[in-house]
């Protein structure tokens, strides 16, 4: 999730558990600690694929963050002891502030390596967009309320209520994901399509309209599914360019990227370059992570030594308006194939 959401989540948790004794400082401590795992972005990696796939790695590991919470508890108890609350309560607060950061990230589409250093594929439950106001606003309200009115006294009600509302909304997003995938599975079964894999994620800033991507051999299908739809989803078949993937047999960056994305990739030849697109993030035709992994030299494809990012567009307000209208109106046409065609430019 975005840094603001992680900061107010950490602030709200620490304010709930330690605000009675730390007052407004609990919000500041929690906000700083809640954004700590994302400081791995300052590390300089070898190339663009490494920068993407090693982010949310060791710094988002439950094992590493649990050890850090224990270390911080010992340091706070030694240098800033407060007999008013127990060591167990302090550890619980610090652990929750740290651990909820990668857990919340795992609900997005990016991929979070919760169990690093184990070499398990990144977890991406992909039930919430990276920025979702309905999740964040209750937490912001709780932090503003705590700063204005303080947190002294018994367990503050506003942070508890905010955490409950945001958590319920997050859980409801899993229901939307299940709904969208089930409706697409029904169409696949009807049409006799046996998919290699299926990936679903909410469209920007909401959990009412879902984009479902289905890998099907040399093609993939895109569909939009709203909670308010009456008719079955309409699948749009789009070429995936898998024949180009054979040019990347000797590319370690491609191996790493395929592992990180669970193979939800598309391949395009643009001029003399082979561009690989992570189809999971963003919106159809507007995906933020695209990489040059090979170049054609003297008629032969050569994997690049250092992968580079391909310039991308994130869409515009007009397309967002179309998607918003599509939530409520099933007959609103969204030209997914045309949008996907922009990736060939």
């Amino acid at each position: 999730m975005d840094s603001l959401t992680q900061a107010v989540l950490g602030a709200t948790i620490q304010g709930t558990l330690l605000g009675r004794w730390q007052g407004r400082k609990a919000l500041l401590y929690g906000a700083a600690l809640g954004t700590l795992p994302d400081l791995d972005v300052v590390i300089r990696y070898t190339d663009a694929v490494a920068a993407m796939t090693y982010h949310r790695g060791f710094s988002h590991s439950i094992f590493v963050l649990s050890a850090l919470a224990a270390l911080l508890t010992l340091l706070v108890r030694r240098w800033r002891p407060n007999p008013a609350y127990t060591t167990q309560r302090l550890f619980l607060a610090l652990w929750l502030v740290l651990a909820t950061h990668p857990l919340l990230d795992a609900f997005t589409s990016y991929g979070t390596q919760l169990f690093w250093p184990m070499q398990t594929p990144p977890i991406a439950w992909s039930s919430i967009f990276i920025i979702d106001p309905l999740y964040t606003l209750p937490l912001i309200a709780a932090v503003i309320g705590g700063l204005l009115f303080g947190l002294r006294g018994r367990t503050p009600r506003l942070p508890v209520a905010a955490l409950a509302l945001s958590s319920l909304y997050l859980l409801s997003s899993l229901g939307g994901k299940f709904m969208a995938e089930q409706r697409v599975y029904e169409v696949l079964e009807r049409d006799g399509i046996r998919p290699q894999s299926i990936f679903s994620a909410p469209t920007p800033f909401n959990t009412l309209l879902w984009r479902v991507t289905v890998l099907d051999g040399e093609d993939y299908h895109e569909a939009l599914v709203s909670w308010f739809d009456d008719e079955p989803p309409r699948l749009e078949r789009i070429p995936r360019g898998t024949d180009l993937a054979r040019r990347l047999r000797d590319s370690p960056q491609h191996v790493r990227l395929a592992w990180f994305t669970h193979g939800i990739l598309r391949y395009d030849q643009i001029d003399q370059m082979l561009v690989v697109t992570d189809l999971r993030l963003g919106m159809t035709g507007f995906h933020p992570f695209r990489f040059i992994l090979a170049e054609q030299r003297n008629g032969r494809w050569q994997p690049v030594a250092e992968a580079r990012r391909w310039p991308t567009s994130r869409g515009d307000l007009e397309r967002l308006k179309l998607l918003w209208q599509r939530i409520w109106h099933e007959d609103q046409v969204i030209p997914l194939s045309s949008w996907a065609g922009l990736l060939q430019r």
Side-chain angles (χ1 to χ4, degrees):
M1 295 291 283
D2 61 285
S3 297
L4 174 61
T5 299
Q6 295 289 9
V8 293
L9 175 60
T12 306
I13 291 173
Q14 186 145 342
T16 298
L17 292 173
L18 296 177
R20 179 178 178 181
W21 301 280
Q22 294 180 343
R24 294 180 176 86
K25 291 182 179 179
L27 300 173
L28 302 179
Y29 297 153
L33 199 59
T35 57
L36 184 63
D38 277 342
L39 290 182
D40 66 333
V41 297
V42 304
I43 300 174
R44 294 181 63 87
Y45 291 101
T46 55
D47 64 16
V49 168
M52 175 192 178
T53 60
Y54 284 99
H55 176 48
R56 296 193 185 179
F58 75 92
S59 67
H60 286 61
S61 167
I62 291 295
F63 304 129
V64 171
L65 294 178
S66 295
L68 179 59
L71 176 62
L72 289 175
T73 300
L74 293 175
L75 292 176
V76 171
R77 274 309 190 198
R78 178 173 179 82
W79 300 107
R80 298 293 297 271
N82 189 329
Y85 52 86
T86 66
T87 299
Q88 292 83 354
R89 189 180 187 93
L90 175 61
F91 172 77
L92 178 63
L94 298 180
W95 184 83
L96 283 174
V97 170
L98 288 169
T100 52
H101 180 121
L103 287 173
L104 180 57
D105 278 346
F107 278 88
T108 70
S109 303
Y110 189 96
T112 305
Q113 299 173 60
L114 288 178
F115 304 112
W116 185 95
M118 297 171 61
Q119 291 301 305
T120 54
I123 295 172
W125 295 316
S126 61
S127 70
I128 193 169
F129 195 68
I130 194 170
I131 300 174
D132 192 315
L134 289 182
Y135 179 84
T136 308
L137 285 175
L139 302 175
I140 292 177
V143 171
I144 293 175
L147 291 173
L148 290 176
F149 306 112
L151 296 169
R152 300 289 183 181
R154 293 186 297 178
T155 302
R157 295 180 180 178
L158 186 56
V160 172
L163 287 171
L165 283 173
S166 291
S167 298
L168 286 173
Y169 178 72
L170 190 61
L171 290 175
S172 74
S173 70
L174 294 174
K177 183 180 182 70
F178 177 80
M179 175 276 300
E181 290 189 0
Q182 284 302 115
R183 299 200 67 186
V184 168
Y185 272 123
E186 291 173 2
V187 173
L188 294 174
E189 185 175 357
R190 181 199 68 190
D191 295 345
I193 299 173
R194 302 183 64 180
Q196 294 171 252
S197 61
I198 185 170
F199 181 85
S200 62
T203 55
F205 314 122
N206 76 95
T207 56
L208 296 175
L209 181 66
W210 292 76
R211 178 175 68 94
V212 182
T213 303
V214 180
L215 297 192
D216 180 21
E218 297 182 355
D219 301 313
Y220 66 101
H221 306 267
E222 291 271 2
L224 292 175
V225 185
S226 169
W227 271 108
F228 305 105
D229 287 352
D230 295 319
E231 299 297 323
R234 183 167 64 90
L235 301 180
E236 295 199 32
R237 182 183 291 271
I238 303 167
R240 189 170 163 235
T242 52
D243 57 314
L244 292 170
R246 293 193 292 270
R247 313 297 197 272
L248 298 171
R249 289 173 181 168
D250 299 324
S251 170
Q253 294 98 332
H254 180 244
V255 172
R256 175 79 183 177
L257 190 61
W259 169 79
F260 189 84
T261 63
H262 299 264
I264 314 295
L265 298 171
R266 167 181 165 145
Y267 306 86
D268 291 282
Q269 179 179 348
I270 304 176
D271 296 328
Q272 304 303 309
M273 291 167 286
L274 200 165
V275 179
V276 182
T277 301
D278 179 356
L279 293 172
R280 303 169 307 144
L281 286 85
M283 185 55 204
T284 307
F286 302 92
H287 305 284
F289 290 99
R290 308 188 71 199
F291 304 96
I292 303 169
L293 295 191
E295 295 177 340
Q296 198 171 39
R297 301 169 187 166
N298 300 320
R300 299 184 61 183
W301 285 103
Q302 298 290 334
V304 299
E306 295 183 4
R308 308 188 302 277
R309 289 281 292 272
W310 181 261
T312 60
S313 170
R314 301 206 177 206
D316 53 38
L317 187 57
E318 289 303 315
R319 288 182 172 87
L320 284 177
K321 289 180 179 178
L322 285 178
L323 291 174
W324 179 255
Q325 293 168 5
R326 174 62 182 83
I327 294 174
W328 319 104
H329 304 291
E330 191 173 3
D331 58 354
Q332 173 63 60
V333 176
I334 304 295
L336 295 179
S337 295
S338 297
W339 290 5
L342 297 174
L343 296 176
Q344 296 175 326
R345 300 179 182 177

